[in-house]
Amino acid sequence: TCALPDLIADACRRVKMIPELNLTTEHAEAIYEMLVNLHARKSLEESAMLNSKLVLVLSSYINDVEMLNKLFALVVAES
């Protein structure tokens, strides 16, 4: 079995604990469901590539280097 849903669930729990993000349980659960569906039937390599693409697309959408640095620092601190 693929452990990816467990990893995604753990990541969502950790992200919900970052107060600066103001992520509600409802939003975290919706994001979790979307991520699980995106990664369904993907190998670990395919999932890693998908995650890289997601980061680049979302970073492009945010389009604020200072904010991205803060977000990346928050994620690293929670890892």
Side-chain angles (χ1 to χ4, degrees):
T1 62
C2 180
L4 223 74
D6 292 336
L7 294 173
I8 295 169
D10 184 54
C12 285
R13 278 191 296 275
R14 288 172 183 258
V15 167
K16 280 194 320 188
M17 291 187 280
I18 302 173
E20 295 87 346
L21 297 182
N22 292 325
L23 187 64
T24 66
T25 298
E26 180 180 301
H27 285 122
E29 289 172 359
I31 293 166
Y32 166 77
E33 186 175 333
M34 286 187 287
L35 288 171
V36 168
N37 290 336
L38 281 172
H39 288 278
R41 297 178 298 284
K42 301 266 189 287
S43 69
L44 287 178
E45 186 175 287
E46 290 169 327
S47 288
M49 180 62 72
L50 179 60
N51 282 336
S52 296
K53 289 178 181 179
L54 283 170
V55 168
L56 291 172
V57 168
L58 294 171
S59 295
S60 173
Y61 180 77
I62 293 170
N63 199 29
D64 181 338
V65 174
E66 186 176 323
M67 177 57 71
L68 288 169
N69 280 326
K70 288 179 184 178
L71 293 171
F72 292 160
L74 285 171
V75 170
V76 169
E78 290 298 318
S79 296

